[in-house]
Each structure stands twice: as C-alpha cells, then as structure tokens.
Amino acid sequence: MAMESARILIIGAGAAGIASATRLLQAGFENVLLLEAENRFGGRVHTIPFADNVVDLGAQWCHGEKGNVIYELVKECDMLQPSGTIYDDYKCVRSNKEVLSEAVADALKSVAFNLIPAHQDGLQGFEGSLGTYLTEAFWRDLEQSPEIDKTVAREFFENYKKFESSIEASDHLFEVSGQGLLEYWKCEGDMLLNWKTKGFRSFLQFLMKAKKDSTDDLGLLNKRIQYNARVQSIEWQKSSGEVHIRLWNGELIEADHVICTVSLGVLKECHKQMFTPALPPAKCRAIDGLKLGTVDKFFIDFETPFEPHDWSSFCFLWCDEDLLELRNSDNFWLESVFGFYRVTCQPRLLQGWIIGPHARHMETLPEAEVLKALLWLFEKFFTFAVPRPLKFLRTRWYTNPNFRGSYSFRSMYAAELRANNCDLAAPLMDEKSGRPLLQFAGEATHSHYYSTVHGAVETGWREAQRLAAYYLDHKSQL
C-alpha cells in the first residue's frame, strides 16, 4: 500500500491531533481525517471571545522557551509576550480580613519559592509523595525565620499546596509521585508567555496554516475535520487488516491506521468498552495508574479594573475557626479556590482558580450560584466592597464527557504499578507485518512534557513520524 492511499483516522482535533494531521499531510499522506467529538477544534485549547478580546478556558500559556517546540515555531512571529510578575506579586489575605505585611509575605514566598520541585535535589531517590516531601521541607526551612507566626505560616502553606496542586493538576500533593516529578522536564525561560489578544487558538491556526483573519478557515485541514463525531468502538485486529471505528450515530468508518488522541480521562472511563480486543495489560495499567486531575477557572468581568489598582493578585488564607464554619456550609467548595489574578491584555478581568473534588462539585452548580458564592468570598476576606460584575464565566473540564479533566500527572499509584507514559504511548502493531494499527498521542503519552501543549504537539509529531518511517521503510524494501 502506498502512503498516498493509506487511510489515516485521527481521533481528536486537539493539539496532538492537529500536529499529527498537519505533519502527515506535509509528509505526503493524502487520506487523513480527524474525528472530533466537540463542535470545534482545539480540545483542551479553547479560546473564546470575552470582555475586551478573548480568554483561554483551557491552556493559557507557552511554558518556557528553550526546548519548547511551540516557542521555537512562533518566536519570530510576534505572537507571544511575558505575563510579568502577576503570579509572584500576590497579596496574602486572611479570612479575618488582615492583609499580611510585605515583610511576612515575602519571607513566606521566599521559603515557598525554594520548595519548587525544580529546585529540589532531595527528590532524587525519595520514595514518598510530593506532599510529604514539601511539608517536611517547608517546616524545616521555616526554622530560619523564627519571627514568623506559625499559625500564619500554616495558613500560607495550606494555600501554597493548593497552588502547587493546580500546577500538577492533582486533588492534593500527597497523590503526586515525588520521584515521578523528576522526569518532568522544565523548559528554560519565561514560564508564563501569553498569546496577547488572540489566545492559544492562534497557535493551532498557525500549525494548520489557516488564514490569519478568518475564524472558519482551517488551512491544511479544511474539509478534514468531522465535528460532533463521538467514537463508540474501535476494532483494531480485524482479519482484513483494517481498523473499524463505529461512531455513536451508527456511522462505520474503515481505516488502515488510527491515531487516538483522546484525553486520559476519556480512556479511563471508556477504554474497556471502546477497544476490541481489549488493550494490552501494560497499557491498561498506565491508564489506571496515571491520573488526569481537575483544574477549573473563573473569569469575572467588572465595569472598571478591580481596585486596589496595586493588587495584581491575591490569595486566600483561612483561619481555623472560619474554615471550620465554611466546611459546614453550602459554600464548602470555596476552600479550594486559592486565588485570583489579573489577566494580561484584559484590564477589567479577574481570573480565579479552583482544584480537585471541590472543582468537580462546583461544576455541578448553577452558574449564578457559583458567582454568588465567589462574591460572598470577597466580602468575607476584604474590608472594601467589590462591585457587581458585568459578566461571569466558569470552566467545567471534568463534567464534559469528551475530556473528564484538565491535564495529567504521575501519581503515587502509577509508581506503585510501575506504569508510565511510555506504556500509554506504545503503538499496537499488526503482528505479521509490523504495521502500526492503533497509535496513541496526547499530553499524557509524553514521558517528560506531560500536562503541556508543547508535549501534546511533540506526541502528534512522534506518531506522524512513526507512520512516515514505516512507509519509507516499506518502500525501500519493494
């Protein structure tokens, strides 16, 4: 079979699917189709119009420069800019309305900054969780600052753990493998490069070579994405050598190769019913052990920029008695809202974050109820009044059956199972010919850049390269 006639089906038109499809077309494959369960492309990259320009409901930043394929692709295109110190200059506000002094806040931030896993040599050979490691390190390092009140330090550390959990996408840090984290590679450079007024979607349009000012043009992928196409089953070992894909609407599609880029959350929920025959045990262990956590966002649009103007961001420190009261109220989920931050290029917006089980609960509530609770939170912590917002938006990444979460991490359970991202990435081949039948891409299949869009893009390219190499090798043998 020639590469031009090979029928390639890509499940999912997110970053990995788009990267894979565009690379395949550029390599000379002609019969490439993407099946997308949503009514839009992008997957967990989801830019929508809001307030003065756009907001990113999913991936928001290009994380780092050196070794980051996204940065390398667009660095000369004037698409990115630094976000500044928004996420460093936060005010620490206690639930008794006290704002920590700069001196105390800076001392605590300094201890927290040195805890950042990238700075930790001690994780080498450490068998426990990231939570255990950081807890011991925090209290040990705090001994250098005896002047700091231990109660305030504990409140700060509780907030810091939530912030760090949002980076990992874990429910809490005690489920994150300390050892596994060492395998995550950080790209040097600015970690919070934003996409100006265009959002992360502009990068996917760049990959597709779409027309700049068109919202509908898909460039290389015009007429190649089938929307609202939710896959029900994949038979990947037919005697004919084909792979059969059945959609929920009953449509049957036959392919020579399938590249599956669905999220780890979807694999967890559906893989036992979706694949025939069942996936190999090593892949099932990886699906079981690796975890896709929930991180959600709030966007609040005010008539004028939030005051005080010199607050770029703020985080919430709960006093014990207030936390006890909160936990016994309907607003219990607010405990996991750890902070709000200004948004670059959107002066009137505040962006909040929530993690874990409380985020999943928040997703089930009516939007008006969520906003009411957040305004109560502001009233609880601030001595000043917060004006009524013009507009409000919250994300629901877990509730959506096409995602079931935000991004992946190495869990303690994965370490226990000795399962890793390589197992998830391993292709399933035709035993006789060695032809790739069913391939896997997406951020969770990357061994070192899991949880990132640049990781997802690399995995899409990896699988496109795998197919190109197979056909080139096959051609040379003829």
Side-chain angles (χ1 to χ4, degrees):
M1 186 184 1
M3 68 191 318
E4 295 80 9
S5 58
R7 297 165 298 173
I8 303 168
L9 202 60
I10 299 171
I11 302 172
I18 289 171
S20 190
T22 49
R23 185 59 63 94
L24 286 164
L25 291 165
Q26 286 159 341
F29 291 90
E30 293 174 8
N31 197 337
V32 178
L33 175 69
L34 294 96
L35 298 177
E36 172 51 57
E38 295 275 302
N39 60 0
R40 59 173 182 85
F41 70 84
R44 284 169 278 168
V45 171
H46 190 191
T47 306
I48 65 162
F50 189 74
D52 290 342
N53 43 76
V54 298
V55 290
D56 275 310
L57 302 184
Q60 185 166 341
W61 295 290
C62 175
H63 291 302
E65 300 166 39
K66 190 178 177 186
N68 182 322
V69 292
I70 293 178
Y71 180 79
E72 298 293 345
L73 278 175
V74 305
K75 64 184 176 185
E76 307 298 337
C77 301
D78 194 30
M79 293 170 73
L80 291 165
Q81 68 177 9
S83 301
T85 57
I86 293 171
Y87 280 78
D88 299 322
D89 294 342
Y90 53 91
K91 298 287 181 186
C92 298
V93 192
R94 301 179 74 202
S95 56
N96 64 4
K97 301 186 191 295
E98 176 196 343
V99 180
L100 295 193
S101 70
E102 293 292 322
V104 171
D106 286 348
L108 287 166
K109 287 179 192 180
S110 172
V111 173
F113 181 75
N114 289 323
L115 292 181
I116 291 170
H119 301 158
Q120 296 293 346
D121 296 329
L123 279 172
Q124 299 281 355
F126 182 74
E127 294 294 333
S129 72
L130 182 61
T132 303
Y133 183 83
L134 292 183
T135 302
E136 289 171 2
F138 178 81
W139 292 109
R140 183 181 65 239
D141 294 356
L142 197 71
E143 287 171 8
Q144 310 302 313
S145 308
E147 74 284 359
I148 295 179
D149 182 287
K150 294 292 181 286
T151 301
V152 171
R154 191 175 74 253
E155 292 168 10
F156 175 87
F157 186 53
E158 288 304 312
N159 182 273
Y160 169 77
K161 283 188 289 186
K162 290 176 201 136
F163 176 81
E164 188 60 39
S165 290
S166 79
I167 293 171
E168 308 305 335
S170 57
D171 285 0
H172 53 79
L173 296 180
F174 297 93
E175 63 173 354
V176 182
S177 165
Q179 194 69 40
L181 200 65
L182 286 173
E183 294 186 36
Y184 178 83
W185 291 349
K186 207 171 174 183
C187 298
E188 287 175 32
D190 194 323
M191 292 301 290
L192 297 179
L193 292 164
N194 69 75
W195 297 92
K196 302 188 178 181
T197 59
K198 303 293 187 193
F200 218 134
R201 173 189 168 103
S202 60
F203 168 71
L204 298 182
Q205 291 170 311
F206 175 89
L207 262 192
M208 296 188 288
K209 301 190 186 315
K211 288 177 193 157
K212 270 195 174 166
D213 300 321
S214 168
T215 51
D216 302 325
D217 185 60
L218 301 178
L220 294 171
L221 301 187
N222 274 324
K223 299 187 177 165
R224 292 188 184 273
I225 304 180
Q226 187 174 326
Y227 293 118
N228 304 306
R230 200 165 174 220
V231 172
Q232 181 178 29
S233 64
I234 300 170
E235 290 184 73
W236 58 276
Q237 255 185 17
K238 303 289 287 182
S239 56
S240 61
E242 296 175 322
V243 182
H244 284 191
I245 293 91
R246 176 82 62 184
L247 304 186
W248 279 98
N249 67 3
E251 185 183 349
L252 177 69
I253 304 173
E254 296 170 351
D256 300 302
H257 309 277
V258 171
I259 301 176
C260 180
T261 76
V262 302
S263 79
L264 175 61
V266 171
L267 285 176
K268 278 181 180 291
E269 185 171 75
C270 302
H271 80 90
K272 286 176 184 165
Q273 306 86 42
M274 189 183 278
F275 297 98
T276 306
L279 297 175
K283 197 173 288 292
C284 293
R285 276 196 302 277
I287 292 169
D288 198 21
L290 297 170
K291 209 168 163 200
L292 193 83
T294 309
V295 181
D296 278 314
K297 303 179 185 182
F298 307 110
F299 291 99
I300 305 181
D301 180 22
F302 295 102
E303 197 167 342
T304 57
F306 180 83
E307 295 182 32
H309 292 306
D310 62 339
W311 286 28
S312 67
S313 47
F314 47 87
C315 69
F316 303 109
L317 311 189
W318 284 95
C319 304
D320 280 349
E321 60 274 21
D322 290 328
L323 185 58
L324 193 62
E325 200 176 315
L326 179 77
R327 286 178 169 181
N328 290 315
S329 76
D330 287 345
N331 287 342
F332 66 90
W333 56 271
L334 290 170
E335 182 180 350
S336 294
V337 178
F338 58 82
F340 274 82
Y341 305 80
R342 292 192 194 272
V343 181
T344 322
C345 299
Q346 288 269 38
R348 300 197 316 271
L349 288 198
L350 279 182
Q351 175 179 344
W353 297 83
I354 182 172
I355 57 158
H358 289 153
R360 293 190 282 276
H361 175 77
M362 176 280 298
E363 291 188 17
T364 67
L365 302 174
E367 199 164 85
E369 198 176 311
V370 174
L371 177 59
K372 186 181 172 189
L374 291 172
L375 293 176
W376 175 88
L377 184 68
F378 291 166
E379 197 180 313
K380 171 78 182 161
F381 276 77
F382 299 148
T383 55
F384 50 87
V386 173
R388 185 85 197 160
L390 293 177
K391 279 188 271 185
F392 173 66
L393 202 58
R394 52 87 188 263
T395 62
R396 302 171 79 188
W397 287 107
Y398 178 76
T399 310
N400 188 323
N402 299 323
F403 300 104
R404 290 289 185 236
S406 306
Y407 36 96
S408 69
F409 66 95
R410 293 271 185 93
S411 69
M412 287 297 291
Y413 185 46
E416 187 78 14
L417 293 174
R418 297 184 188 181
N420 60 41
N421 311 73
C422 294
D423 300 318
L424 196 58
L428 303 179
M429 313 287 216
D430 181 284
E431 287 175 4
K432 290 178 191 149
S433 66
R435 178 165 61 91
L437 295 172
L438 181 56
Q439 297 162 254
F440 292 83
E443 54 87 9
T445 71
H446 202 297
S447 296
H448 302 296
Y449 293 141
Y450 53 87
S451 82
T452 67
V453 184
H454 56 275
V457 168
E458 283 197 11
T459 66
W461 288 347
R462 178 192 69 209
E463 296 312 313
Q465 180 55 36
R466 194 189 304 279
L467 277 182
Y470 169 77
Y471 278 92
L472 284 172
D473 187 45
H474 203 63
K475 199 173 180 182
S476 67
Q477 289 173 18
L478 292 176

